[in-house]
Amino acid sequence: MGMKEIIKTLTSSRLMTVMALSLVICQLSFSHAGAQSARSILDKTAAVLSNKDGVTANFTMTNSQKLQVSGTVAVKGIKLYAKTQVGIIWFDGKTQWTYLTKNDEVSVTTPTAVQLQTINPYTFINMYRDGYKYTLNKSGSEYKVHLTATDPKRKIQEMFVNVDKKTYAPTQVKLLQGNKWTLFDISGVKQQKLNDGMFRFSSKDFPNAEVIDLR
């Protein structure tokens, strides 16, 4: 697996949180009661995920080839910490560090505006301000929101977001890009106060790692 593929795998671990948050706080117009109910449910999910002090969660990502990546993610505003068996990403709002476990090396980058659309929830939200139709279903202990794009040029053409009825935390996000589905199973969503130092790489914790500065 090349560097670009590894970084893409790691950064996509944040996508489940970004997706749910994006879909609930964007200003969309709906034409029927079912869609309005979907928005109301996702608004409550946004309240869970947009805690200013920070949010943590566990996830398992499964791609169309059935390859699974599991780990933890922490988000505080635009800051990110994501850890999987492949490696770790830290992003403090300006600098990104990507540590690869297999190679014991960390690359240091300053993401461009385009790259921030992947790792920054606020720039990502702007991509989803409109252009989707909503339907809502209820199944057992969950709400199931289905989104379909009205614009065929949208990168994400279809999404399913499952939300716990009691806590309004997302439990699963399934999205279609091109003709490939990616599934995120989410658990342990927790609001908590996170220290800013959590989102910065510390060489003391990885004394033997090779640091590659790509800035």
Side-chain angles (χ1 to χ4, degrees), residues 49-203:
L49 296 175
S50 60
N51 179 46
K52 65 182 180 62
D53 291 326
V55 177
T56 60
N58 304 314
F59 71 91
T60 297
M61 180 187 74
T62 307
N63 67 11
S64 57
Q65 286 77 43
K66 304 301 181 183
L67 174 66
Q68 286 192 338
V69 176
S70 297
T72 59
V73 62
V75 179
K76 182 180 181 181
I78 66 172
K79 300 178 180 69
L80 161 73
Y81 171 86
K83 182 177 181 179
T84 73
Q85 64 265 41
V86 179
I88 308 172
I89 281 183
W90 299 262
F91 178 64
D92 66 359
K94 179 181 178 181
T95 303
Q96 177 176 312
W97 296 265
T98 304
Y99 174 74
L100 304 181
T101 304
K102 182 178 180 180
N103 300 338
D104 195 20
E105 65 181 33
V106 58
S107 61
V108 187
T109 59
T110 301
T112 65
V114 173
Q115 291 168 334
L116 283 175
Q117 290 183 348
T118 301
I119 63 173
N120 182 326
Y122 296 102
T123 56
F124 193 86
I125 285 166
N126 292 330
M127 299 170 60
Y128 293 90
R129 288 190 178 278
D130 54 22
Y132 287 89
K133 296 186 296 184
Y134 281 42
T135 59
L136 173 65
N137 291 298
K138 300 177 183 179
S139 177
S141 61
E142 294 184 333
Y143 296 109
K144 297 180 181 292
V145 182
H146 181 203
L147 296 95
T148 52
T150 57
D151 183 351
K153 294 182 181 180
R154 289 276 177 175
K155 290 184 178 180
I156 301 198
Q157 282 293 305
E158 192 172 0
M159 273 179 285
F160 294 87
V161 180
N162 293 5
V163 177
D164 185 279
K165 286 182 179 179
K166 291 183 178 180
T167 65
Y168 289 96
T171 60
Q172 189 178 84
V173 176
K174 183 179 179 181
L175 58 97
L176 178 65
Q177 290 181 288
N179 61 351
K180 297 181 179 180
W181 287 95
T182 302
L183 177 69
F184 295 92
D185 288 302
I186 308 159
S187 64
V189 176
K190 183 184 298 184
Q191 296 178 332
Q192 56 185 301
K193 190 170 184 177
L194 302 176
N195 189 293
D196 287 343
M198 179 180 189
F199 304 98
R200 291 188 292 269
F201 170 77
S202 174
S203 59

Side-chain angles (χ1 to χ4, degrees), residues 201-212:
F201 170 77
S202 174
S203 59
K204 293 180 180 179
D205 297 329
F206 302 87
N208 299 318
E210 179 184 2
V211 177
I212 304 173

